[in-house]
Amino acid sequence: MQSLEKNLIVALRYATAAVHESIEQLPIMLRIMSLSVTRADYCHYLLVLRELYTPLEAALYTAIDRDTQLRLGVRPKLPALLADLNEQAAMNTDEIFSVTTDVMHSTIVIKNINDLVGSLYVLEGATLGGRTIARHLRRVLNNELGSARFLDFHGEQTSAVWKQFAGALDELCAEQRLKPDAVIAGALTTFDDLYQQLARCN
Ligand code: HEM
């Protein structure tokens, strides 16, 4: 078996598999992956994620230093999400945009680089699933989906970006800047926090 230092991304996947599975089973996720999903469901989903991503990315991108950000190849997803919401609003200005999501309160605290990288793993990994969701929505909603900049954030670059992220994790571990167990704990905390918030917004 490989040590955590050699393949942190694999350890992260194993450690978070159960909570990922639980998130996929939440009503809001089952709705977005259903064959009867509507454009209103898609807009609601974006609005909910906007509430989650706004405080979380603000905390992460305030804490990260430029060198670590470049090495991990990460950047905020919120601008893409807001652009998708604007695009949807331009298509139709009905009550879809009056949804309130004020029940959400993140409890995430970024104490150190391990928490930071653990959280970034969750948001970066979500772009892998995002591609799957985008493909499904394209099939059902067709042109109504619009550009899906957020869900298909890295597009054709998805696997290259993920490889860079995984490689950087192992380098940072080898340089002893990261403690694998603490990164895993940070990822689990973030996943749990997102789970709680997503469970409340149905
Ligand atoms: C309907 C909801 C979701 C579906 C269907 C879904 C689906 C997927 C799929 C298919 C993958 C694997 C992609 C691949 O290996 O190429 C994946 C990975 C991942 N997803 Fe999701 N996902 C969902 C929601 C989420 C959410 C809400 C988050 C967190 C915000 C999340 C975080 C992750 C992470 C961190 C990975 C990477 C796992 C790894 O290390 O390989 N997912 N998802």
Side-chain angles (χ1 to χ4, degrees):
M1 189 177 161
Q2 284 170 308
S3 72
L4 289 187
E5 287 77 6
K6 287 246 177 66
N7 218 329
L8 180 52
I9 205 88
V10 174
L12 279 161
R13 176 181 294 159
Y14 276 115
T16 60
V19 65
H20 186 277
E21 175 88 26
S22 307
I23 283 195
E24 281 190 68
Q25 296 308 316
L26 286 173
I28 187 170
M29 297 302 178
L30 294 176
R31 183 85 218 114
I32 206 78
M33 291 302 285
S34 80
L35 288 173
S36 57
V37 65
T38 63
R39 196 172 74 86
D41 294 325
Y42 173 54
C43 291
H44 178 257
Y45 185 71
L46 290 179
L47 286 169
V48 167
L49 290 197
R50 182 184 65 184
E51 300 307 300
L52 267 64
Y53 275 61
T54 300
L56 183 53
E57 284 197 337
L60 295 176
Y61 287 94
T62 301
I64 198 167
D65 64 88
R66 188 86 189 124
D67 175 59
T68 308
Q69 184 176 351
L70 285 176
R71 288 175 71 177
L72 291 169
V74 293
R75 60 197 162 88
K77 320 284 184 272
L78 191 61
L81 197 159
L82 297 178
D84 288 339
L85 273 171
N86 282 337
E87 186 183 23
Q88 290 295 324
M91 282 186 203
N92 190 340
T93 51
D94 55 22
E95 71 282 5
I96 287 171
F97 290 91
S98 66
V99 174
T100 69
T101 49
D102 59 357
V103 285
M104 298 183 189
H105 298 287
S106 174
T107 53
I108 291 292
V109 179
I110 309 295
K111 294 188 298 293
N112 53 50
I113 190 169
N114 299 301
D115 290 338
L116 172 72
V117 172
S119 289
L120 287 170
Y121 160 76
V122 179
L123 296 193
E124 213 42 51
T127 66
L128 303 180
R131 265 216 120 184
T132 304
I133 300 170
R135 225 175 286 130
H136 164 72
L137 291 177
R138 182 69 66 202
R139 273 195 294 266
V140 181
L141 299 178
N142 239 303
N143 292 342
E144 282 192 333
L145 178 63
S147 316
R149 298 170 186 86
F150 169 73
L151 282 174
D152 198 8
F153 190 77
H154 296 299
E156 295 299 312
Q157 299 302 312
T158 302
S159 85
V161 172
W162 188 243
K163 277 194 193 123
Q164 179 185 342
F165 184 80
L169 289 192
D170 292 338
E171 284 172 23
L172 291 166
C173 287
E175 293 164 19
Q176 309 208 326
R177 289 193 54 211
L178 292 180
K179 289 201 179 81
D181 287 337
V183 175
I184 292 170
L188 283 170
T189 303
T190 299
F191 249 130
D192 286 340
D193 185 73
L194 294 179
Y195 174 85
Q196 299 294 340
Q197 294 188 74
L198 288 167
R200 261 185 257 133
C201 69
N202 298 302

